[in-house]
Amino acid sequence: MAKAVRLANPRMITGIVGRLIVKDPYYSLHKLYNTTLTELQTLPDTYPYRIETERLTKERLALLEKAKSVVEFEDALNARCIENVIKEAKDELLLIRKLPGWAPWEPLVGEAPAEQWKWPL
């Protein structure tokens, strides 16, 4: 028996070269957003990236669950193509998984050069 698709994609093409249609964008995004929220738990509670990404992901998840159609969700995000939103969510998840190895929340090993943040040079 085929599973019901909550928010089926109404488009036949994305209009973007190399970007294929996602048949069930609701399922894909719901899974990505929930996985993102789980993975963010591996980062320190006070890390600003974690705080902001959690806020944004929860906001988008709420919009997704409230939407009655893919087009309504795209409009709520001011997005042209749901496939781009899915790509962004995948990229965000990949970044979150790399952050513990980089530990950007830790103090600098040494002092930054005095002119490092001066712009223009």
Side-chain angles (χ1 to χ4, degrees):
M1 181 184 206
K3 84 174 174 130
V5 175
R6 182 167 185 273
L7 295 179
N9 200 338
R11 294 189 183 85
M12 301 301 283
I13 62 169
T14 62
I16 301 169
V17 174
R19 185 71 36 98
L20 301 175
I21 288 290
V22 175
K23 299 278 188 232
D24 191 352
Y26 175 84
Y27 175 79
S28 297
L29 276 172
H30 199 271
K31 185 171 175 120
L32 281 165
Y33 287 155
N34 281 310
T35 304
T36 296
L37 290 171
T38 301
E39 294 283 334
L40 282 168
Q41 302 303 310
T42 64
L43 306 180
D45 292 342
T46 57
Y47 184 42
Y49 174 81
R50 174 186 171 167
I51 295 167
E52 186 58 24
T53 305
E54 274 181 339
R55 184 199 62 76
L56 180 66
T57 304
K58 287 176 181 176
E59 180 182 303
R60 287 184 169 201
L61 187 57
L63 287 172
L64 178 66
E65 291 173 347
K66 192 171 78 170
K68 293 177 176 49
S69 72
V70 169
V71 175
E72 183 181 322
F73 181 66
E74 287 174 333
D75 289 346
L77 291 180
N78 197 22
R80 190 184 126 224
C81 179
I82 193 83
E83 286 76 12
N84 285 348
V85 176
I86 292 169
K87 171 85 168 86
E88 289 170 6
K90 286 179 180 178
D91 290 347
E92 197 74 55
L93 187 55
L94 289 173
L95 174 62
I96 291 165
R97 288 177 173 163
K98 290 178 180 179
L99 283 173
W102 299 334
W105 50 83
E106 292 180 359
L108 295 175
V109 175
E111 284 296 314
E115 301 294 315
Q116 180 171 345
W117 306 114
K118 184 179 177 186
W119 187 260
L121 297 175

